[in-house]
Structures are given as structure tokens and as C-alpha cells.
Amino acid sequence: MKHEDGKGAPFQVPNTFRAWDGKGWPGYVPGTLSKYPMVNSCFNEESVEVILRGSHNIGIAMATPYGLVVPNIKNVQSLSILEITKELSLLQQLALDNKLSPNDISGGTITLSNIGAIGGKFGAPIVNLAEVAIIAMGRIQKLPRVADDGDIYSALIMTANIGADHRVMDGATVTRFCN
């Protein structure tokens, strides 16, 4: 799928992990981080204090021929969905070419891992140091569900598993963030 960047220049939209409708995870997370700022914080070991971060720098875990990398989209809270998608596409290409800079892979505040892209359904994500949360999203599956009236229907279901630093937030906060 190709789009224009508003200046007439076409660019290729990646086929996975699109931020296309505001509900895609990279586009959805900033609003939720604003509502639950502890998820966008870090824990300082030396001073034993929580530091709330102003920028939403969302790391995107990517499997490459060179290994797993987690570049991050900086200041997502200030970007449009189109800008997020363009930045994601650029980071994916840099990762595939093994050309990510130290700036590309540092400063993340939360990580998203799309384990569904490689067929995963469930995961046990481990928090990257300096961050306090990571979300692993499983593949979308068509599964049977039962309606309130007892009728059976099919629904598209995706699991989301979150790993969190419990020195900073409790399970109830994590659950509310995910909901």
C-alpha cells in the first residue's frame, strides 16, 4: 500500500504493524500513556525513585537477520498516524539494512512486540531496562464466541500480554492500562 506524505511524495506503508486507524498500537498507546503516566516512567535504582517521562518514545521490537532490535519512534504523542507509519517504515528499513544508529535504539519509554507477525499467540515479554512495561501482541485468530443469548458466532481475537516493573506499578494499573 502506498500513500503520499502531504507533499506529494509517495512512500511505502509496511505490511505489518500498521498504525493506520488510530487504534493500531503505535497510534493507540500515547493517549493511554497520558491517562496512565506511571506506565511511561522509569525507576532510578540509585535514588530509588520513579521518574515520569514527558516524551512517549515507543520501542518496536523487530526480528532481523542480525538479531532482535528495538528501535523507537520518538515523541509519538506529537505525531499523526501518517507520521508514525512513515517513521515505523523508515526504522524497519534501517533495521533490515543493519543501519540503526545509537539514537534509533535508545531512549525508549515502552516497547511493543508483535509476536503475531511470526505466528506467536502468547508471550512472556521481559521489560527492557530503564522502561517499566512491554506489550507482546499475538497473532489475530478467528475464534468461536458465545453471545449473551447463547448464539455462537466467530470473532477476531488478539491476545496482548504485558510485562511490567512492579516496583513502579501494581497489577490493577497494568490491567486498566491494557483495557
Side-chain angles (χ1 to χ4, degrees), residues 43-173:
F43 183 75
N44 184 316
E45 300 265 350
E46 289 181 24
S47 62
V48 191
E49 67 181 342
V50 175
I51 300 168
L52 297 178
R53 295 175 165 179
S55 296
H56 301 168
N57 299 337
I58 299 176
I60 308 293
M62 299 178 185
T64 75
Y66 310 99
L68 182 70
V69 293
V70 185
N72 58 78
I73 303 170
K74 307 278 197 251
N75 299 304
V76 173
Q77 77 282 359
S78 301
L79 301 176
S80 70
I81 296 300
L82 189 59
E83 291 168 324
I84 293 168
T85 304
K86 283 180 66 175
E87 185 65 18
L88 177 58
S89 182
L90 173 65
L91 290 170
Q92 284 176 321
Q93 191 58 55
L94 289 170
L96 287 173
D97 295 341
N98 201 26
K99 294 186 177 181
L100 291 167
S101 71
N103 185 56
D104 292 330
I105 59 173
S106 63
T109 59
I110 187 170
T111 295
L112 304 179
S113 179
N114 184 6
I115 62 173
I118 57 172
K121 297 178 192 173
F122 304 96
I126 299 172
V127 177
N128 293 321
L129 285 180
E131 297 177 11
V132 298
I134 180 171
I135 302 169
M137 296 157 297
R139 71 178 172 92
I140 297 172
Q141 304 172 81
K142 193 174 204 176
L143 298 172
R145 291 294 181 250
V146 180
D148 290 340
D149 64 4
D151 285 346
I152 296 175
Y153 65 97
S154 65
L156 296 175
I157 306 294
M158 179 192 79
T159 59
N161 300 292
I162 187 164
D165 186 337
H166 286 281
R167 296 174 300 177
V168 175
M169 60 190 148
D170 60 25
T173 301

